[in-house]
Amino acid sequence: MNERQKRRLGLPESGKSRTGRLILCDFVIFLAVAVLLLVIYEGRDDLTAYGMAEQAALALLTIFAARWFGGIYRQIWRYGGIQSYIRLLCTDGIAFIPFVLLGRIIPIQNITFARALSISSLNLLGALAIRMSYRYAYKCANAETAQGRLMLWFLHRFAGLKGNRKNEGQQIKIAILGAGRVGVSLAEELFNNSAAMYTPRCFIDSSPEKVGKEIQGIPVFSDEEATPERLSGFEIQEIVFAIPNTDSETKKRLYDRYKDYGCKIKVYDFPVMQTAGGKRHLREFDVEELLFRKQQQVVDERTTAYYKEKTVLITGGGGSIGSELCRQIAKMQPGRIIILDIYENGAYDVQQELRMKYGPELDAIVEIVSITNMAAMRRVFEAYHPQIVINAAAHKHVPLMEHNCIEAIENNVFGCKNVVDLCEEYSVERFLMVSTDKAVNPTNVMGATKRMCEMIVQSAATTGKVKYSATRFGNVLGSAGSVIPLFRRQIAAGGPVTLTDKRIIRYFMTIPEASQLVLQSGAMANNGELFVLDMGKPVKILELAENMIRLSGAQGIEIIETGLRPGEKLYEELLVDSESLTRTDNSLIFIEKDTPVAPDLLKEKLALLHAACESGDDGEAKRALRKAVPTYKNPEKVNGRFNGEDAEQKLQNAAQVGGQ
């Protein structure tokens, strides 16, 4: 099928046909320039008709030869950038040299240097103009406005392109927050993509150099000018954040400003924000980003060197924290990783993930064992003789442990004691315990058992051969027990979103941060330290829920209070006594000074708990736990003080501790 038949049937022309059209346009421009400057213009050259033809032929030959060999006609000009125009400028500049020299060497009528320069320059200007017009028409063509229809006609008539751009009325109008390199790149990408579902209407930027000006025909407004009324006048439906290098505080301020504008808020993912080679795309804010805290990189070269070629045993290795510990350690070229867990699916999944990523270079072994089974645990230690043991196995669900106190004590407390005893028996180098902020002045069984584990570890550090440490952190984003997956499910189901209390505040960190902290603290530990991470400012769970609902685009979803669950606190603390903080070499990691429990007193506490568990009475077990953990407090008394001015002061104190 030839090109004429394609045009008649409305089919797109081939690339060769469009190249031919471009060459024809360039030739017409050249003829116009040649007639103007060689025929119409009367200079001092006194050219004959034959001389005019000779000069025109020489200019035509040199210019088009340079463009052909310079690859000018191999470019797709609808996407042409500054590089394309610079190339055209250079090729025509190079062509001017042989045009002048050959005119002096070969036996033809000469023209002045000024006339030769005028021919080359005016021809170049025409070539640039036709290409810029084509690119502008391609970007602005639409079927809605008179100008857009004119551009469509231009494309069809001179470029052989059908108007295949979507009507602007069908596109989503966006305001781009950030008129820097990333924001302009987004606008450029949308203009050049005929199938784009978005069309940029304006930029919002704080730079005085850009505000009040236009970028590619798009106005740039300041934050103050970008009012809801102004954006409504531009029919803005979505506001896109294109500010990847902006700090978290500024992003939070901007998000808080625009979240009530009635527009959806999205993020432009640019490769510099992620990893090299990442894809560019518009997406919703990740829930984790709504916390507006910068993820901290904790692990350093010293930490990596410490775990290299070591045999590392991770209890609870299939859980949220345990599996991430496996991933982080795998990067450090360990000798062997033993993934120990009672739940086989999680342990198997992380083993397969590591094998797919590292192949035979990584020795990752799964052992399905409960840490409460001393005989089975001894077989594991006997088989592998681990050098480093990380105890991440524990029951962590607060309300469930309130009704299963015996199980919590047996698994968390006595399971930890089993691992500590085996570490001593098999001369392990280091023992790292994963703790929680709920162990600080606990108001629930889970927190009290973890506080008891801290006592076991610190007491063992005073008498044993192993180097011990415990690491305490807050809520982990994306973990199985996190509130965020619950909110997601409730929003997807149409609501309501349930909060136990709208006053609740929590500290948050990402799973990689938590895992890196454990590994870093374990590597730097001397013996018996209780490490705490600077987790930043606490987060109001109510605000988190509101932001998640807003970003989902769902309407009419209620947030209701269900009442505090058994043992739940309105706020969590990271330290028993914030004044006892000691900063480490890592500015993000602190050590809390805590007096270890004497070995004899610890034995008494464990005996008390053991007898209570043997009774089979959960109530008796809880009473024994209160005796064993002096800081175990009544949740009603603690939460009762979280009101009015006391509550606001608690928030301020928590923020100050987190920001120190």
Side-chain angles (χ1 to χ4, degrees):
M1 184 180 295
N2 59 37
E3 299 301 332
R4 181 174 297 176
Q5 290 172 320
K6 286 184 177 182
R7 288 196 297 272
R8 188 169 59 249
L9 295 174
L11 298 175
E13 296 181 12
S14 66
K16 289 182 179 179
S17 176
R18 293 195 188 115
T19 300
R21 282 175 177 266
L22 181 58
I23 294 174
L24 179 61
C25 288
D26 282 347
F27 182 72
V28 170
I29 290 171
F30 174 81
L31 284 181
V33 171
V35 169
L36 177 64
L37 294 179
L38 291 174
V39 179
I40 299 176
Y41 174 70
E42 294 182 3
R44 294 178 299 171
D45 307 306
D46 195 22
L47 289 172
T48 65
Y50 191 72
M52 295 176 189
E54 287 176 332
Q55 287 293 336
L58 180 60
L60 179 69
L61 176 64
T62 54
I63 290 172
F64 278 82
R67 289 180 184 177
W68 184 264
F69 288 110
I72 297 301
Y73 296 111
R74 292 197 297 270
Q75 298 188 94
I76 302 177
W77 286 93
R78 78 188 73 162
Y79 306 127
I82 188 64
Q83 302 92 336
S84 301
Y85 297 106
I86 291 296
R87 177 183 286 192
L88 177 59
L89 180 65
C90 290
T91 53
D92 276 30
I94 292 171
F96 176 70
I97 298 173
F99 173 44
V100 173
L101 292 178
L102 289 174
R104 301 288 187 273
I105 296 172
I106 61 178
I108 61 175
Q109 283 187 281
N110 290 330
I111 58 175
T112 64
F113 181 84
R115 184 179 290 203
L117 180 61
S118 298
I119 292 171
S120 293
S121 300
L122 194 57
N123 183 68
L124 173 61
L125 179 61
L128 290 170
I130 195 68
R131 284 162 173 78
M132 290 179 179
S133 298
Y134 170 54
R135 191 162 185 268
Y136 178 77
Y138 187 81
K139 290 168 63 175
C140 300
N142 62 73
E144 292 189 335
T145 64
Q147 180 185 359
R149 288 191 292 271
L150 178 63
M151 297 297 102
L152 283 176
W153 176 85
F154 176 86
L155 287 176
H156 179 57
R157 185 69 183 84
F158 293 99
L161 289 175
K162 300 293 289 183
N164 60 344
R165 291 185 62 84
K166 291 184 180 290
N167 289 339
E168 193 168 313
Q170 298 174 330
Q171 294 178 304
I172 299 172
K173 285 81 170 177
I174 64 171
I176 300 176
L177 186 59
R181 182 174 63 88
V182 175
V184 173
S185 172
L186 170 59
E188 184 81 9
E189 188 171 332
L190 295 176
F191 277 137
N192 288 335
N193 184 359
S194 61
M197 291 301 300
Y198 300 88
T199 181
R201 285 295 190 89
C202 65
F203 287 104
I204 304 172
D205 201 279
S206 58
S207 172
E209 298 176 354
K210 300 173 184 175
V211 172
K213 297 181 173 62
E214 291 187 354
I215 298 176
Q216 300 194 25
I218 305 174
V220 182
F221 300 136
S222 66
D223 287 331
E224 292 72 23
E225 293 172 334
T227 61
E229 295 75 21
R230 174 69 67 87
L231 297 186
S232 177
F234 278 77
E235 300 178 322
I236 299 300
Q237 297 164 278
E238 295 183 4
I239 298 174
V240 178
F241 277 53
I243 45 176
N245 298 319
T246 304
D247 62 86
S248 300
E249 288 294 327
T250 303
K251 282 185 180 178
K252 185 177 189 316
R253 177 180 59 80
L254 292 171
Y255 178 83
D256 289 341
R257 175 186 178 87
Y258 294 111
K259 68 182 180 181
D260 297 323
Y261 273 35
C263 304
K264 291 192 71 173
I265 298 180
K266 288 189 176 178
V267 178
Y268 178 50
D269 257 341
F270 199 72
V272 297
M273 295 172 62
Q274 309 295 330
T275 57
K279 294 182 179 180
R280 308 178 185 186
H281 63 286
L282 289 176
R283 61 169 176 80
E284 307 284 352
F285 263 87
D286 287 337
V287 176
E288 289 78 3
E289 291 176 300
L290 293 178
L291 301 177
F292 297 104
R293 64 182 299 275
K294 184 178 179 181
Q295 183 168 314
Q296 311 288 0
Q297 291 297 320
V298 181
V299 170
D300 57 16
E301 293 181 0
R302 184 178 66 176
T303 304
T304 300
Y306 178 75
Y307 291 93
K308 187 175 182 179
E309 298 180 359
K310 298 286 179 67
T311 297
V312 185
L313 168 66
I314 302 106
T315 71
S320 302
I321 296 295
S323 61
E324 183 62 26
L325 285 168
C326 295
R327 295 184 192 98
Q328 295 289 341
I329 293 172
K331 299 176 184 178
M332 304 176 188
Q333 301 177 345
R336 173 179 287 170
I337 296 178
I338 301 106
I339 307 165
L340 187 145
D341 206 299
I342 190 61
Y343 179 57
E344 67 272 23
N345 290 350
Y348 176 77
D349 287 345
V350 69
Q351 180 194 43
Q352 295 306 305
E353 177 187 335
L354 295 178
R355 284 182 174 176
M356 288 177 63
K357 186 172 183 178
Y358 297 98
E361 296 178 4
L362 178 66
D363 188 7
I365 299 169
V366 168
E367 291 289 346
I368 305 303
V369 178
S370 169
I371 59 173
T372 61
N373 187 335
M374 188 63 166
M377 288 294 294
R378 180 174 279 109
R379 287 194 295 271
V380 171
F381 274 75
E382 181 65 36
Y384 303 110
H385 288 273
Q387 295 162 281
I388 301 170
V389 174
I390 306 174
N391 186 36
H395 291 318
K396 304 179 183 71
H397 199 286
V398 171
L400 291 183
M401 293 307 101
E402 288 300 298
H403 299 290
N404 295 274
C405 186
I406 293 176
E407 176 62 24
I409 294 172
E410 289 181 342
N411 187 77
N412 293 2
V413 178
F414 290 108
C416 177
K417 183 67 167 60
N418 286 344
V419 179
V420 167
D421 290 344
L422 288 170
C423 286
E424 289 293 337
E425 183 178 339
Y426 286 88
S427 301
V428 170
E429 291 179 15
R430 296 204 182 210
F431 173 91
L432 292 66
M433 192 196 104
V434 176
S435 190
T436 170
D437 57 357
K438 293 177 176 61
V440 185
N441 297 324
T443 59
N444 51 66
V445 168
M446 194 282 282
T449 58
K450 294 299 284 185
R451 177 58 187 154
M452 193 68 207
C453 292
E454 291 178 354
M455 294 182 194
I456 292 171
V457 170
Q458 290 182 303
S459 178
T462 63
T463 59
K465 300 170 291 185
V466 180
K467 289 187 177 181
Y468 293 94
S469 67
T471 305
R472 187 185 284 165
F473 47 79
N475 294 270
V476 179
L477 294 169
S479 67
S482 172
V483 71
I484 290 174
L486 172 63
F487 286 171
R488 279 200 184 108
R489 291 193 297 269
Q490 291 176 334
I491 292 170
V497 170
T498 57
L499 293 179
T500 56
D501 194 295
K502 292 183 178 181
R503 298 169 294 168
I504 283 182
I505 61 172
R506 291 289 185 265
Y507 291 95
F508 281 97
M509 66 190 311
T510 65
I511 293 177
E513 281 178 313
S515 303
Q516 290 175 25
L517 171 62
V518 172
L519 299 177
Q520 168 101 29
S521 59
M524 69 167 58
N526 292 317
N527 199 14
E529 293 94 342
L530 180 55
F531 291 98
V532 182
L533 178 66
D534 177 358
M535 297 190 63
K537 296 179 180 179
V539 175
K540 292 182 179 180
I541 303 300
L542 175 60
E543 288 186 3
L544 182 61
E546 290 172 340
N547 287 335
M548 289 182 65
I549 294 171
R550 186 178 294 107
L551 286 181
S552 73
Q555 302 294 325
I557 292 184
E558 288 185 276
I559 298 178
I560 62 174
E561 288 181 294
T562 59
L564 290 172
R565 299 173 297 181
E568 188 174 21
K569 273 202 281 191
L570 287 171
Y571 64 92
E572 299 294 353
E573 303 161 281
L574 288 175
L575 307 169
V576 173
D577 181 4
S578 61
E579 295 181 357
S580 64
L581 279 174
T582 300
R583 191 181 292 271
T584 65
D585 292 339
N586 188 320
S587 62
L588 302 174
I589 301 177
F590 300 88
I591 299 174
E592 181 185 347
K593 299 174 183 176
D594 189 23
T595 304
V597 176
D600 290 342
L601 179 57
L602 180 65
K603 287 181 181 179
E604 293 178 10
K605 292 176 182 290
L606 291 173
L608 178 66
L609 293 175
H610 181 72
C613 290
E614 288 292 312
S615 72
D617 185 344
D618 256 8
E620 180 63 27
K622 187 175 292 188
R623 286 188 289 274
L625 191 58
R626 288 189 183 279
K627 293 179 182 179
V629 181
T631 55
Y632 190 172
K633 299 182 178 181
N634 187 307
E636 286 76 19
K637 290 183 179 180
V638 174
N639 294 326
R641 296 195 299 268
F642 197 77
N643 291 295
E645 295 179 1
D646 291 338
E648 190 61 33
Q649 186 62 45
K650 180 62 71 174
L651 271 169
Q652 293 175 5
N653 292 342
Q656 289 173 2
V657 172
Q660 285 179 358

